[in-house]
């Protein structure tokens, strides 16, 4: 038995480590080859946005799906990333890469802070407090308009750099690979986390809190760990978003972005991590494909979300699994 | 003196609107156990229906009640399409959040397509202004301040004095037992949503009479109604009503002393502090099963 086997218990019915690792590498290698197919900067822009959404949505899946903590302030952590990066890189003149990292750290600290009031709470009350936290952050940013630009936001935020590479005239190639690297790092971290003992204990807390506590799982510590773990890459994604868009705006706290990302989490199927990533692809591409429909676009998207939630409560991953079982049974019957 | 009565009237007026919204939210929560995130959109829809009926040439006395009745139907339809099929699922709270959010977005964008983005205004309930205790108020606001408690009292007596209302409360308390004694639980679910939607629609009509309406007008009232409901506790109807007026006064006072920008932040701070001390809300009795 290697150290890895001891540290990470395997469970029956789960995909083995080797299989998942192969799927992971193949999947992301395919993504890395996408710029060969999509040469124009518009498609690459869509892909970059997909990667950012995927990071935010899959990290949300950690607290919402695995942890069962209805954290509706997740987008505030993203927004904190956006503003911390913008303030550090623009106002304080700190190196963009250091600012990027610092945004993740500060988002994590904010997540720890918001965990304190919700330690005693359950279910719907957590939704309301975290929702309140998000509004609080937004109001503070709006009221400090000397620094943050208030409702106007900040413009001319410094972008990222890579040695002497020209980030603007490469058809967004460099930003594409930075975004992809971010998604790879975040997904690797999330999958390792949820397959670890800590991951098992937060699922135990979600499924049977009393029993988990009686078996020695600390609710306070694990809830903090869950939210902090889901915050780091969310904050970095926010910082990257600001660096890529070259501006910071109060819109990141709005309901429309939260609704889109939340539907990615639920549409993909909670407690999968991969589901959220797949759903961000599907929803974003779908939404871009319908650009001609104008006012009908949000309505069709909303209708799609409702239909999928009604027909496949386990989301896209559940849909794929159901299809796979069907195919596998056909093959078995043939043999 | 003028400052005090300014705050008093402002609080009373805002509190009335919040109470109207929050009661519907609490009604749906207690009976079905879900939060209806399209409640704000119902408010908008009620106002637009009323506007449309008035535009057709109907007198206000007919148009407004008719819009409220139509809203009851809209609430029932929403419940039947995006809430009822999900009942019994383990993660219903979360799934209903997303289906009602999506339904809200659908209706809001639909309203935008049908009625356009240009702001509209409804006729006031009563035209004219008056001065009470040194404050100038419109008669429309006075009408709202007077009508709201009457409607809430009617709702209270419906829930406590009629068989149908008692059946609704029975479902809220224990669904299985209600089914066992022969109550039509699905129909009562629909009824809860219908009442909530018509109350929201009425709140929309009230609001459309003194402020310009646009398709996203329901977002802020929904947020406030959520705060009110958490603040007052969701296990009863009276808790949110008291909380609504309390928050109305708080907001009016805070707007005056701390300014418009800091009020929402202060409100949320108070909310978070309340939840840390009394998670079940300040007016709720400590009860189990309110997770």
């Amino acid at each position: 038995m290697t150290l890895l086997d001891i540290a990470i218990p395997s469970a029956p019915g789960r995909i083995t480590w080797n299989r998942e690792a192969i799927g992971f590498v193949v999947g992301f290698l395919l993504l890395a080859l996408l710029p060969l197919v999509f040469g124009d900067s518009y498609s690459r822009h869509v892909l970059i946005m997909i990667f950012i959404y995927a990071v935010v949505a899959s990290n949300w899946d950690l607290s919402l799906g695995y942890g069962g903590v209805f954290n509706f302030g997740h987008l505030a952590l993203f927004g904190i990333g956006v503003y911390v990066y913008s303030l550090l890189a623009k106002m304080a003149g700190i190196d963009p890469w250091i600012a990027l990292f610092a945004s993740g750290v500060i988002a994590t600290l904010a997540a720890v802070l918001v965990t304190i009031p919700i330690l005693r709470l359950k279910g719907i009350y957590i939704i309301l407090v975290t929702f309140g936290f998000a509004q609080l952050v937004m109001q503070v940013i709006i009221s400090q308009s000397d620094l943050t630009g208030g409702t106007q936001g900040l413009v001319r935020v410094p972008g990222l750099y890579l040695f002497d590479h020209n980030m603007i005239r490469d058809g967004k190639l460099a930003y594409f690979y930075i975004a992809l690297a971010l998604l790879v790092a975040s997904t690797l971290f999330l999958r390792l986390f949820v397959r670890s003992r800590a991951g098992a204990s937060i699922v135990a807390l979600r499924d049977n809190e009393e029993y988990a506590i009686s078996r020695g799982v600390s609710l306070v510590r694990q809830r903090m760990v869950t939210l902090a773990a889901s915050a780091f890459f969310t904050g970095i994604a926010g910082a990257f978003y600001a660096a890529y868009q070259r501006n910071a705006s109060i819109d990141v706290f709005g309901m429309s972005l939260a609704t889109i990302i939340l539907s990615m989490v639920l549409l993909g199927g909670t407690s999968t991590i991969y589901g959220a990533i797949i759903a961000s692809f599907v929803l974003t591409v779908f939404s871009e494909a319908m650009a001609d429909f104008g006012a009908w676009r949000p309505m069709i998207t909303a209708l799609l979300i409702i239909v999928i939630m009604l027909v496949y409560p386990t989301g896209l991953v559940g849909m794929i699994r159901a299809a796979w079982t069907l195919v596998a049974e056909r093959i078995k019957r043939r043999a | 003196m003028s400052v005090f009565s300014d705050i008093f009237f402002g609080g009373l007026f805002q509190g009335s609107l919040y109470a109207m919204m929050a009661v519907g939210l609490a009604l749906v929560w207690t009976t079905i156990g879900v939060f209806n995130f399209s409640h704000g959109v119902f408010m908008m829809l009620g106002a637009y229906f009323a506007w449309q009926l008035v535009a057709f040439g109907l007198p206000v006395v007919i148009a407004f009640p008719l819009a409220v009745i139509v809203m009851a139907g809209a609430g029932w339809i929403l419940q039947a399409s995006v809430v009822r099929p999900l009942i019994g699922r383990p993660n219903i709270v979360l799934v209903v959040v997303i289906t009602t959010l999506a339904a809200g977005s659908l209706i809001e964008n639909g309203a935008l397509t049908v009625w356009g983005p240009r702001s509209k205004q409804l006729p006031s309930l009563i035209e004219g202004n008056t001065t009470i205790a040194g404050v100038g108020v419109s008669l429309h606001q006075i009408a709202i301040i007077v009508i709201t408690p009457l409607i809430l009292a009617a709702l209270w007596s419906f829930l406590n004095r009629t068989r149908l209302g008692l059946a609704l409360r029975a479902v809220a308390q224990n669904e299985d037992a209600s089914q066992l004694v022969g109550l039509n639980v699905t129909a009562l679910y629909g009824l809860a949503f219908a009442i909530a939607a018509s109350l929201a629609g009425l709140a929309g009509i009230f609001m459309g009479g003194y402020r310009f309406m646009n398709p996203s007008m329901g977002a802020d009232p929904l947020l406030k109604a959520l705060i009110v409901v958490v603040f007052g506790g969701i296990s009863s109807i009276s808790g949110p009503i008291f909380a609504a007026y309390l928050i109305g006064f708080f907001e009016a006072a805070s707007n005056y002393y701390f300014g418009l920008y800091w009020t929402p932040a202060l409100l949320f701070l108070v909310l978070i502090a309340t939840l840390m001390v009394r998670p079940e809300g300040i007016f709720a009795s400590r009860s189990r099963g309110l997770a």
Side-chain angles (χ1 to χ4, degrees), chain A:
Chain A
M1 231 183 195
T2 62
L3 191 70
L4 195 71
D5 290 326
I6 301 164
I8 298 145
S10 65
R14 254 197 191 169
I15 300 171
T16 59
W17 271 104
N18 296 339
R19 268 194 175 180
E20 182 168 348
I22 292 167
F24 189 94
V25 171
V26 171
F28 279 107
L29 272 181
L30 285 178
L31 289 183
L33 293 176
L34 280 178
L36 296 178
V37 187
F38 300 105
D40 59 314
S41 66
Y42 167 71
S43 326
R44 286 177 185 173
H45 166 73
V46 172
L47 285 168
I48 291 169
M49 292 313 291
I50 289 175
F51 293 159
I52 295 173
Y53 288 153
V55 170
V56 181
S58 58
N59 276 283
W60 204 351
D61 191 21
L62 177 65
S63 56
L64 198 71
Y66 285 91
V69 181
F70 295 169
N71 174 18
F72 272 50
H74 190 74
L75 263 293
L77 302 173
F78 181 71
I80 287 172
V82 168
Y83 272 92
V84 168
Y85 175 84
S86 306
L87 289 177
L88 287 182
K90 191 188 176 192
M91 299 294 181
I94 292 174
D95 183 273
W97 285 103
I98 297 172
L100 188 86
F101 184 76
S103 309
V105 174
I106 291 182
T108 312
L109 289 177
V112 171
L113 203 68
V114 75
T115 318
I116 296 168
I118 64 169
L119 283 175
R120 285 181 61 199
L121 304 177
K122 279 183 179 174
I124 202 84
Y125 291 98
I126 295 182
I127 296 186
L128 297 154
V129 174
T130 49
F131 201 69
F133 165 74
Q135 295 294 320
L136 200 68
V137 173
M138 184 174 92
Q139 295 299 338
V140 169
I141 289 175
I142 291 178
S143 59
Q144 300 300 313
S145 52
D146 307 344
L147 269 176
T148 60
T151 47
Q152 307 278 322
L154 288 170
V155 288
R156 301 180 66 177
V157 172
L160 294 170
Y161 64 90
L162 277 180
F163 309 108
D164 293 331
H165 183 72
N166 190 331
M167 302 288 282
I168 298 161
R169 295 185 186 279
D170 65 346
K172 298 186 194 291
L173 199 64
Y175 273 113
F176 175 88
Y177 282 110
I178 296 172
L180 182 62
L182 182 62
L183 180 61
V184 170
S186 154
T187 312
L188 194 65
F189 167 74
L190 289 172
R191 287 305 302 177
L192 284 174
F193 184 82
V194 299
R195 293 193 73 144
S196 70
R197 289 186 73 90
S201 71
I202 64 165
V203 172
L205 275 174
R206 175 195 71 188
D207 290 343
N208 195 336
E209 194 178 298
E210 286 83 6
Y211 185 60
I213 291 171
S214 77
R215 293 299 300 259
V217 178
S218 161
L219 173 72
V220 172
R221 198 184 63 214
Q222 291 312 88
R223 198 170 264 184
M224 260 189 193
V225 167
T226 312
L227 271 115
S230 76
F232 183 70
F233 280 103
T234 309
I236 290 193
F240 176 79
Y241 181 72
Y244 173 64
Q245 299 275 10
R246 307 292 303 272
N247 65 40
S249 123
I250 207 77
D251 293 345
V252 292
F253 293 97
M255 272 310 275
S256 54
L257 186 64
T259 309
I260 292 170
I261 306 272
L262 183 65
S263 29
M264 285 170 184
V265 178
L266 295 178
L267 206 60
T270 48
S271 313
T272 53
I273 302 294
Y274 295 121
I277 298 172
I278 295 170
S280 42
F281 267 87
V282 173
L283 263 188
T284 314
V285 170
F286 186 76
S287 167
E288 289 298 325
M290 288 191 312
D292 298 338
F293 286 89
W296 290 92
R297 183 160 80 162
M299 288 158 80
I300 297 171
T301 312
L303 208 60
L304 180 83
I305 291 168
I306 293 174
V307 168
I308 294 188
M309 289 325 292
L310 290 182
V311 181
Y312 281 100
T314 45
L316 289 172
V317 164
M319 218 157 113
I320 294 167
R321 266 189 204 142
W324 177 247
T325 329
L326 211 71
V327 172
E329 264 176 22
R330 282 272 168 84
I331 293 169
K332 245 183 220 170
R333 222 173 281 165
R334 287 265 171 85

